[in-house]
Amino acid sequence: KFALIDAGVKTDLPNVIGVRADYPQWQFLSGCLAGLVTTRPDEFGLANADNKVGFVGGADTPSSRAGAAGFLAGVKYTNHDAELEYSIVGSYTDPTTAKEIALTMFGDGVDVVSVNCGSSANGVLAAAEESGRYFCSTSPALVSETNQLCISITRFDSFVYKAVEMILNDTWEPGTHIYGIADGACEIS
C-alpha cells in the first residue's frame, strides 16, 4: 500500500491513497487570530486602528484560493467589520513581487498579512519587518522574532498516523482523504 502525504490522488489503484489537509481549515485559525488582533492596537503593538487584514497567494490555484478563503472566513468569524485585501504573486518563487504586494497592503493600512505563496513568503516577511506589521506564515521555517503573529500548521505526522491506522484497522479505502481542525491535522502556533 502507498500513501502520498500532503497530496490528493485521482486513481483507480486500490493500493494508493492521498492524505492532505482541508485547505480552508488550515488557514482558518490564523484568520480568527488576525481578526481579533486587528481590533486591538492597544494590546498588540504592531496593529493599527484601520481594521484591515490581507492575504497573499502564490498562484491562482484551487489550494491557494482555498487557503485564502479559510483565512478570510476566520477573520470574518471573529471580526465582521474587518476589511480584507487579497492578492496573487503569480509565482511561488518571487519574493520581490510578494514584498511589493505586501508593502502596498501595509501602506493601505493592513496590519496583518497571511500567506500561501511558497518561498515568495520571504518577501512578505521582509515587508512586515520593514513596515512594522504582523505576518502569519505557513511554515515553521519562516519565522520572525518581532513580526510573527502565528504559523498555520499542517500536522503531517497526523497524516502518516491516519494512513497507518487505516492499514492496521483494515479500513483502507483508495482515493483522497482530507483532514482538518477536528481531526487534529490543522492548528496554529
Side-chain angles (χ1 to χ4, degrees):
K1 299 192 189 268
F2 297 93
L4 300 171
I5 305 301
D6 196 30
V9 295
K10 293 181 182 177
T11 180
D12 294 331
L13 298 174
N15 63 334
V16 178
I17 63 169
V19 186
R20 69 168 180 81
D22 182 315
Y23 295 127
Q25 289 188 32
W26 175 41
Q27 298 267 345
F28 179 80
L29 295 174
S30 62
C32 289
L33 182 59
L36 293 173
V37 166
T38 194
T39 63
R40 294 178 166 89
D42 293 338
E43 298 171 50
F44 294 90
L46 303 182
N48 61 41
D50 291 350
N51 201 21
K52 295 180 181 180
V53 299
F55 188 92
V56 177
D60 189 17
T61 63
S63 64
S64 192
R65 286 191 305 271
F71 176 78
L72 300 174
V75 169
K76 286 297 191 176
Y77 184 78
T78 58
N79 181 353
H80 298 288
D81 297 324
E83 291 182 42
L84 312 171
E85 291 193 23
Y86 171 68
S87 189
I88 294 291
V89 176
S91 168
Y92 287 97
T93 59
D94 186 357
T96 301
T97 300
K99 181 178 180 182
E100 292 169 7
I101 290 168
L103 285 172
T104 299
M105 286 182 175
F106 291 131
D108 289 343
V110 167
D111 53 12
V112 181
V113 173
S114 186
V115 298
N116 182 11
C117 59
S119 65
S120 294
N122 290 304
V124 179
L125 174 56
E129 291 175 336
E130 186 176 312
S131 301
R133 296 294 177 219
Y134 287 113
F135 169 77
C136 299
S137 74
T138 55
S139 170
L142 189 59
V143 176
S144 168
E145 289 184 21
T146 56
N147 300 78
Q148 190 85 35
L149 182 59
C150 66
I151 304 169
S152 296
I153 295 179
T154 301
R155 298 287 313 270
F156 297 109
D157 59 321
S158 73
F159 299 161
V160 173
Y161 182 88
K162 296 284 188 187
V164 171
E165 186 177 53
M166 284 183 227
I167 293 170
L168 294 176
N169 293 337
D170 198 30
T171 58
W172 184 273
E173 290 186 33
T176 300
H177 300 264
I178 300 171
Y179 298 102
I181 295 167
D183 305 300
C186 304
E187 58 187 41
I188 58 173
S189 173

